Amino acid sequence: MESSLQVRGPIDVAAERARTPGAAVTHHFNAAGSALPTASVVQAVVDHLRLEERIGGYEAAHQVADRIEAVYGDAARLIGAQAPEIALFDSASTGLRSIVDALRLGENKSRLLVSRSTYVSHALHLMSLGREHDVELVVVPNDPNGTIDLTALDGQLASGGPAVVCVAHIPTSSGLVEPVAAIGALARRHGARYVLDATQSVGQVHIDVTEIGCDVLVTTGRKFLRAPRGTGFAYVSAGLDLPPTAPDVRGAVWTASTSWELKPGARRFETWEASIGARVGLGVALEEALSLGTEQTERHLVARAASLRESLAETPKVTVQDPPCSPSAIVTFTVDGITPLRVNEQLGRLGVRTVSVPASHAQWDLGARGVDAVVRASVHVYNDDDDMAALVDAVARIATGG
Ligand SMILES: Cc1ncc(COP(=O)(O)O)c(C=O)c1O
């Protein structure tokens, strides 16, 4: 089996642009929202839809069964897991919700220890669990670097009772990278479960679930993986034998009037219905991510984003809003006297695609920092020097009212 650690050459940006039609259309800095897919990913989806048109959805699914099976192996390979530990979902949030519900926090009287980096949908789900199932929810403070305070987490873990730690590897609201392996070591030492939201990190940085020590990882397809929308996957460690709270025909066999048997492995969390075309596209995106190499991609993206952060920091009236520990492909900033929403609109008019992230998407981060919103620019392998210059020039023009 080919290793994702295999040493490959540097990223060939021109080649990446050539296979990414959207790269010629705008200066696209929104991989953290939904990245530009390659032509091959889109073609695979379109071909599958055409097949469904000709022979029917179930018959088409039967024809590509081997390709779908390969998706589990490739997803596992990308994050250092085994294929039976992978479940496919339509989003990261769906995966997180069904797996966290299966932890039955209320019944186990578990406390939920969460990072400030938690994504809005996850926070809403976890707060609802807290309210409805009498689960104690603790938002662990950050240290001065902006990452979760490991001493505070250690103290919380030591203060008794079973706990589940829930952390976003890289948040939606900044370039922060959480110390995920150190968190894993603490969780293991205290016998806590560890759920990692890797939605922004899979496809962006090198990930090995064994090194990180998480029990569960969830991610989405459309961001740094460059897969179609409506795709996602989760890793559930083989050591966790969790019954889903609402098994589906895909995850269980109804064996007699009132009995059923769960399927082995993580697939017990899946639902029958899914976009098979999107999953075929996910398969192509996974193959492409593996062939680029996760370490090469991480090195390239982190360097590009660092240089973008530097250029923006030198631009008058611009403040980079990333916390000190931000070695990721996400760059956040504000412009004096102009709302991020307005900056984003003006950038759009100049052909530069970013997004404005409001505090309502990250209350425990932006809200707690007293920042109403930020402009977020996220780089990917198809962004070239011309894109970078266009973004910095456009921001400078907007900042000076030009
Ligand atoms: C850190 C983080 N986690 C989770 C999500 C949710 O992903 P999905 O929309 O696939 O559920 C997002 C989406 O932006 C995110 O940025």
Side-chain angles (χ1 to χ4, degrees), residues 44-388:
V45 179
V46 172
D47 287 349
H48 189 78
L49 292 178
R50 288 287 172 223
L51 187 61
E52 289 186 345
E53 183 182 47
R54 280 205 313 280
I55 66 171
Y58 282 19
E59 293 76 7
H62 186 68
Q63 268 199 26
V64 296
D66 288 352
R67 288 183 79 176
I68 297 297
E69 200 50 42
V71 172
Y72 294 87
D74 284 342
R77 195 142 63 92
L78 192 71
I79 60 168
Q82 301 298 317
E85 296 174 309
I86 300 296
L88 301 183
F89 291 99
D90 59 1
S91 74
S93 301
T94 315
L96 187 110
R97 209 162 36 238
S98 41
I99 298 165
V100 168
D101 285 351
L103 289 169
R104 294 171 171 76
L105 302 176
E107 285 169 36
N108 303 329
K109 298 273 171 264
S110 292
R111 286 175 314 136
L112 257 175
L113 310 180
V114 303
S115 64
R116 292 207 159 277
S117 51
T118 305
Y119 182 68
V120 46
S121 306
H122 299 178
L124 294 170
H125 173 226
L126 301 177
M127 286 190 291
S128 303
L129 280 178
R131 251 184 220 171
E132 289 163 25
H133 298 279
D134 195 22
V135 172
E136 187 191 351
L137 177 69
V138 179
V139 183
V140 181
N142 281 348
D143 73 11
N145 267 331
T147 58
I148 194 167
D149 184 330
L150 292 169
T151 309
L153 177 63
D154 195 17
Q156 284 292 342
L157 285 165
S159 71
V164 173
V165 179
C166 238
V167 170
H169 193 174
I170 297 175
T172 197
S173 48
S174 82
L176 174 79
V177 181
E178 293 281 18
V180 286
I183 295 167
L186 284 179
R188 223 171 312 175
R189 185 174 337 135
H190 292 282
R193 297 264 187 248
Y194 179 16
V195 177
L196 183 65
D197 171 10
T199 303
Q200 292 291 2
S201 53
V202 169
Q204 181 189 159
V205 299
H206 178 71
I207 290 184
D208 183 322
V209 288
T210 309
E211 280 166 21
I212 292 173
C214 55
D215 299 292
V216 173
L217 173 151
V218 297
T219 192
T220 207
R222 70 184 182 281
K223 297 183 189 290
F224 286 90
L225 256 183
R226 308 178 66 191
R229 295 200 64 175
T231 57
F233 70 85
Y235 152 82
V236 185
S237 158
L240 274 192
D241 186 22
L242 290 180
T245 54
D248 178 279
V249 59
R250 169 87 177 149
V253 182
W254 194 10
T255 46
S257 177
T258 56
S259 55
W260 67 93
E261 276 169 22
L262 293 173
K263 298 263 179 76
R267 288 185 210 188
R268 61 179 52 181
F269 289 100
E270 292 185 349
T271 54
W272 168 259
E273 182 48 4
S275 165
I276 303 300
R279 288 187 176 175
V280 172
L282 171 65
V284 175
L286 285 165
E287 283 165 13
E288 290 179 349
L290 285 164
S291 89
L292 269 187
T294 52
E295 293 191 322
Q296 287 73 9
T297 303
E298 174 176 351
R299 257 197 306 276
H300 178 85
L301 296 184
V302 169
R304 296 296 269 181
S307 100
L308 180 58
R309 222 172 265 121
E310 222 169 86
S311 302
L312 289 170
E314 288 164 1
T315 307
K317 299 191 176 174
V318 173
T319 306
V320 171
Q321 293 289 352
D322 294 323
C325 186
S326 292
S328 90
I330 296 177
V331 179
T332 59
F333 61 95
T334 49
V335 177
D336 291 354
I338 316 178
T339 65
L341 199 58
R342 183 105 186 92
V343 173
N344 187 57
E345 277 167 13
Q346 294 190 11
L347 284 171
R349 266 185 236 124
L350 296 168
V352 177
R353 298 290 172 203
T354 56
V355 291
S356 158
V357 181
S360 61
H361 284 194
Q363 285 295 1
W364 296 337
D365 174 23
L366 295 180
R369 286 196 267 147
V371 178
D372 289 340
V374 289
V375 185
R376 184 184 70 194
S378 40
V379 296
H380 215 316
V381 289
Y382 44 73
N383 289 123
D384 63 4
D385 292 343
D386 184 43
D387 283 336
M388 306 278 275

